[in-house]
Amino acid sequence: MLHPIFEEASNVIKEEYPDKNQVVFARVDCDQHSDIAQRYRISKYPTLKLFRNGMMMKREYRGQRSVTAIADYIRQQKSNPIREVQDLEEISSLDRSRRNIIGYFEQKDSDNYRTFERVANILHDDCVFLSAFGAISKAERFSGDNVIYKPPGENAPDMVYLGSLTNFDLIYAWTQDKCVPLVREITFENGEELTEEGLPFLILFHMKDDLESLEKFQQEVARQLIGEKGTINFLHADCDKFRHPLLHIQKTPADCPVIAIDSFRHMYVFPDFSDLSVPGKLKQFVLDLHSGKLHREFHHGPDPTDVAPGQPIQDLASSPPESSFQKLAPSEHRYTLLREKDEL
């Protein structure tokens, strides 16, 4: 059903962007090319993914499946993701609730700016990108072209990129680290997108106004788990909105803050939030997930070396709570997380 719409949209875009290197529409038969489907974690059909410079973007296309909507989406993606600054006074009035990346360049027609442009095209959903050129940027180019990051917060200090401005991999890694928070908020709107990244969740459930617990969690994740980035997603969730996942682990908002791991098969609860600052405790919790210890102990009781004298072995029939996010995960088991949104 989508194929003729997709093909027609490609023809519309081809007329507007005749250069074949500007926009490419392609389709993959996932039955015939299952290796490609597995590589990009495609679990439902049809799925529309956007690639830039050979990299798959995190956010898939979820708009209306019509020729007009798809063509409009491509036009939007082709728009310039970088706002050119005409006066440095504009920098002082930036929205400091956002993450801002600012490039100061001698000229637009340069390898430095082209690399910056490639990075902005990929990360413009996560950061605001700005640029200044020539005489306007001169005051900020005391040692040559320069890229800085202005983090959220009125008094947060700027951070300067110190690597090569023509090395895409280096500047992309630096910018991604600044634009994508280590601990992200999970919501009904981005839940499916986060799940599609294919990594288990380490989640802090906290009340919306409990910023102290969130700050402690962020600090300990940065301190203990920075090396685990890429193996697990660090998230925080509003206890009131996510009552259903809490119910799965026999908790209510009154019990928050609560830390749990969702492996998409089961949910495992961190024993006590007050142990968060115990050196290595949170890291061991995550390592026990990766080693299979959490799953094994829930099904077969504590490992023999972990049983204190006289401590009974857990009932073999017991089992951890089922995942509450499986509705969004590439799995044959599905839960209706989105129903919560309707109930709210």
Side-chain angles (χ1 to χ4, degrees):
M1 292 173 63
L2 180 61
H3 180 217
I5 296 171
F6 189 69
E7 188 166 9
E8 187 178 346
S10 74
N11 291 330
V12 169
I13 290 299
K14 186 177 181 180
E15 290 182 5
E16 297 182 28
Y17 302 97
D19 184 345
K20 64 180 182 181
N21 293 321
Q22 283 197 313
V23 181
V24 176
F25 278 70
R27 62 189 178 95
V28 178
D29 182 335
C30 291
D31 288 330
Q32 186 178 352
H33 300 286
S34 58
D35 57 326
I36 296 177
Q38 290 173 3
R39 186 189 315 164
Y40 297 111
R41 302 190 186 99
I42 306 301
S43 60
K44 59 186 186 302
Y45 311 101
T47 292
L48 299 181
K49 292 281 191 180
L50 179 71
F51 286 75
R52 286 186 181 275
N53 301 302
M55 298 177 64
M56 185 181 75
M57 301 296 95
K58 291 184 299 182
R59 294 171 176 83
E60 69 181 55
Y61 175 75
R62 292 193 176 89
Q64 186 180 4
R65 296 189 172 185
S66 68
V67 173
T68 300
I70 293 174
D72 284 345
Y73 172 72
I74 296 300
R75 294 184 192 104
Q76 179 186 358
Q77 293 299 318
K78 289 294 293 178
S79 63
N80 192 343
I82 306 172
R83 177 165 69 89
E84 185 173 341
V85 173
Q86 302 300 329
D87 189 317
L88 289 187
E89 285 297 316
E90 294 179 39
I91 304 299
S92 61
S93 59
L94 288 177
D95 180 357
R96 293 308 298 267
S97 67
R98 303 289 304 276
R99 297 166 184 269
N100 296 280
I101 301 286
I102 309 167
Y104 300 99
F105 303 94
E106 184 176 1
Q107 54 187 9
K108 184 177 289 189
D109 184 18
S110 65
D111 290 339
N112 286 351
Y113 181 70
R114 280 188 282 272
T115 306
F116 184 73
E117 204 171 24
R118 285 180 64 193
V119 172
N121 271 314
I122 295 170
L123 294 171
H124 65 88
D125 286 333
D126 301 296
C127 265
V128 175
F129 286 84
L130 305 100
S131 62
F133 303 96
I136 295 171
S137 66
K138 188 175 181 180
E140 296 291 339
R141 290 187 291 104
F142 42 86
S143 58
D145 289 354
N146 193 22
V147 172
I148 68 164
Y149 165 61
K150 285 186 175 293
E154 291 296 333
N155 300 316
D158 295 348
M159 300 181 190
V160 181
Y161 173 68
L162 300 175
S164 167
L165 286 171
T166 57
N167 188 316
F168 171 79
D169 291 336
L170 281 180
I171 192 169
Y172 174 76
W174 181 86
T175 308
Q176 184 186 45
D177 181 63
K178 303 297 179 284
C179 292
V180 181
L182 185 60
V183 178
R184 293 176 284 176
E185 182 177 11
I186 184 169
T187 64
F188 291 116
E189 288 70 31
N190 70 0
E192 185 172 1
E193 175 188 312
L194 289 170
T195 303
E196 285 170 353
E197 293 181 15
L199 301 176
F201 295 165
L202 175 68
I203 311 175
L204 167 69
F205 294 95
H206 67 108
M207 301 304 291
K208 187 175 181 179
D209 58 355
D210 181 11
L211 300 181
E212 182 180 349
S213 295
L214 175 58
E215 186 176 351
K216 286 181 181 177
F217 182 69
Q218 291 171 326
Q219 288 173 350
E220 291 307 320
V221 166
R223 183 178 292 121
Q224 299 186 40
L225 294 171
I226 192 66
E228 296 301 315
K229 186 179 180 182
T231 68
I232 189 167
N233 270 331
F234 310 117
L235 307 172
H236 67 101
D238 185 328
C239 284
D240 273 331
K241 292 183 178 178
F242 284 87
R243 289 170 179 261
H244 187 63
L246 284 172
L247 188 62
H248 273 255
I249 54 177
Q250 300 179 336
K251 302 288 186 181
T252 70
D255 298 308
C256 289
V258 173
I259 298 172
I261 286 175
D262 193 321
S263 70
F264 300 146
R265 293 181 65 191
H266 298 298
M267 292 186 74
Y268 308 98
V269 184
F270 187 67
D272 193 330
F273 181 81
S274 62
D275 289 340
L276 179 62
S277 57
V278 175
K281 191 90 172 186
L282 188 64
K283 181 174 183 177
Q284 191 60 53
F285 184 52
V286 172
L287 294 179
D288 287 347
L289 169 75
H290 295 325
S291 70
K293 182 178 179 181
L294 292 181
H295 184 81
R296 184 175 64 250
E297 289 195 338
F298 264 112
H299 283 288
H300 305 292
D303 288 347
T305 55
D306 294 337
V307 180
Q311 180 181 344
I313 298 294
Q314 184 175 336
D315 183 357
L316 297 183
S318 64
S319 122
E322 294 292 341
S323 166
S324 188
F325 295 90
Q326 286 178 342
K327 163 74 170 65
L328 308 177
S331 165
E332 69 275 16
H333 304 293
R334 306 290 179 183
Y335 274 83
T336 53
L337 173 64
L338 297 183
R339 185 179 300 163
E340 276 187 73
K341 188 175 182 182
D342 299 330
E343 290 173 355
L344 288 174

